[in-house]
Amino acid sequence: MLRWSVHLEGGPRRVNHAAVAVGHKVYSFGGYCSGEDYETLRQIDVHVFNTVSLRWMKLPPVRTGGHERAREVPYMRYGHTAVLLDDIIYLWGGRNDTEGACNVLYAFDVNTHRWFTPKISGTIPGARDGHSACVLGKAMYIFGGYEQLADCFSNDIHKLDTTTMVWSLINARGSPARWRDFHSATIIGTKMFVFGGRADRFGPFHSNNEIYCNKIKVFDTETNCWLSTPSTQPLPEGRRSHSAFSYNGELYIFGGYNAHLDRHFNDLWKFNPEAFSWKKVEPKGKGPCPRRRQCCCMVGDRIILFGGTSPCPEQGMGDEFNLMDHSDLYILDFSPNLKTLCKIAVIQYSLEQSGLPHDIRSDNFTSFDIRRPFLTKAAALDS
């Protein structure tokens, strides 16, 4: 039975970050937190969450040793994407308040924790943020986003072949998805399912006539064609800055924001690509509050969801400018079992022995709320 099984407080406070699951760990890159300085250039921070020990650690800064080496390490940014191919995480796009948007491809070796910039060729996508990135085989697909140079939304599809490190602009046939940013694109089989995002009613340029797409658009990577899709009901509300993931051949979306409705979401919807139908899902346990710009990664049968931003409690559920950034983490478990109970019992015992403050609450012994700092230094024991 689907259940929110774990709630932790005290992790990195991050919004509009990017994260990738590698084995039993989740690597989180960059993002922002209100009040931090994003005009001074500094290298991107990397936080790692261990899903076995339920602990965060922050990797130490990279020693660059010169200007050329410093260029190998991405600067702090938000609105970027990260994907995993083999043992390399590819980070692309995003922006910084000083440098603007970026189109340099950075690579992070998960074994050595070293950054490098691969030598690439081909038609390199223009610098942007709010795009999506997904992987099929040895290829990374970039879709949409807000292009800095053109100052408009994009609906182009770019493909990076990581065996040759060549970028190509796909000449897609069919009726394309609308120009947009802060949408989601999820690979199921050989098709890319695009949902949500912010677009403009009149075209690619932002005229403050925003619309929020709520219909699925499907791109077939085998034929390079946008497919015709039927209209179905019910449909989730249109939104941007939500999370999306696939599980057992179905697409799930969580959270997001709609400015027209002045509303943040914490609903969970499931899309079946065979029936082409949506269904609202109600997991057991206490889930996250309404939010947007969080990260969501799948580890086995569990979804690790953390960070994001929400309206301040005293401001209600809307208000674009009175937001609070989150340092919490939730686990959505598709197959909850007694392992979680045992794990929490061990952590609780360790906390009691150490004398650290703690608050662990159970919901029929299958949902846990842990409130304490779980951020440790890189030198800490990492089981």
Side-chain angles (χ1 to χ4, degrees), residues 159-361:
K159 177 182 177 181
L160 174 68
D161 185 336
T162 61
T163 60
T164 61
M165 300 310 293
V166 175
W167 281 104
S168 59
L169 172 62
I170 293 179
N171 183 20
R173 297 180 292 113
S175 177
R178 196 173 187 86
W179 310 270
R180 66 185 76 193
D181 66 358
F182 293 108
H183 54 282
S184 61
T186 309
I187 294 287
I188 300 177
T190 59
K191 296 180 175 65
M192 180 174 73
F193 293 79
V194 174
F195 176 79
R198 176 184 60 170
D200 191 274
R201 188 176 304 280
F202 301 113
F205 296 96
H206 195 194
S207 66
N208 292 319
N209 287 276
E210 293 182 354
I211 58 174
Y212 293 86
C213 308
N214 70 338
K215 294 181 180 178
I216 289 277
K217 292 291 291 186
V218 183
F219 177 75
D220 190 329
T221 63
E222 292 185 321
T223 62
N224 285 342
C225 184
W226 288 100
L227 305 180
S228 298
T229 54
S231 296
T232 58
Q233 293 292 336
L235 291 173
E237 295 281 4
R239 64 195 68 196
R240 65 175 170 95
S241 306
H242 55 284
S243 296
F245 59 91
S246 64
Y247 181 78
N248 281 351
E250 295 181 302
L251 169 68
Y252 292 78
I253 65 162
F254 171 86
Y257 173 71
N258 184 309
H260 285 321
L261 301 175
D262 196 19
R263 184 181 171 194
H264 287 74
F265 300 95
N266 66 341
D267 50 351
L268 182 69
W269 288 77
K270 177 174 69 173
F271 176 77
N272 185 307
E274 298 297 327
F276 217 86
S277 62
W278 285 99
K279 179 182 179 182
K280 190 173 183 181
V281 182
E282 303 282 358
K284 300 292 185 181
K286 184 179 178 181
C289 66
R291 65 185 65 199
R292 60 172 149 155
R293 294 182 173 178
Q294 65 280 345
C295 269
C296 213
C297 293
M298 172 155 279
V299 178
D301 290 325
R302 297 179 296 167
I303 297 299
I304 314 299
L305 185 151
F306 60 98
T309 191
S310 298
C312 294
E314 62 271 18
Q315 299 295 334
M317 295 317 298
D319 202 327
E320 175 83 20
F321 303 105
N322 290 281
L323 301 172
M324 55 183 292
D325 302 337
H326 296 294
S327 62
D328 54 2
L329 178 146
Y330 289 82
I331 296 180
L332 179 63
D333 202 331
F334 281 84
S335 300
N337 54 43
L338 289 177
K339 288 184 179 179
T340 303
L341 175 61
C342 296
K343 193 182 304 179
I344 298 299
V346 170
I347 293 173
Q348 183 175 23
Y349 177 78
S350 299
L351 292 174
E352 290 172 348
Q353 294 300 306
S354 66
L356 290 172
H358 61 280
D359 178 11
I360 301 181
R361 288 177 277 179

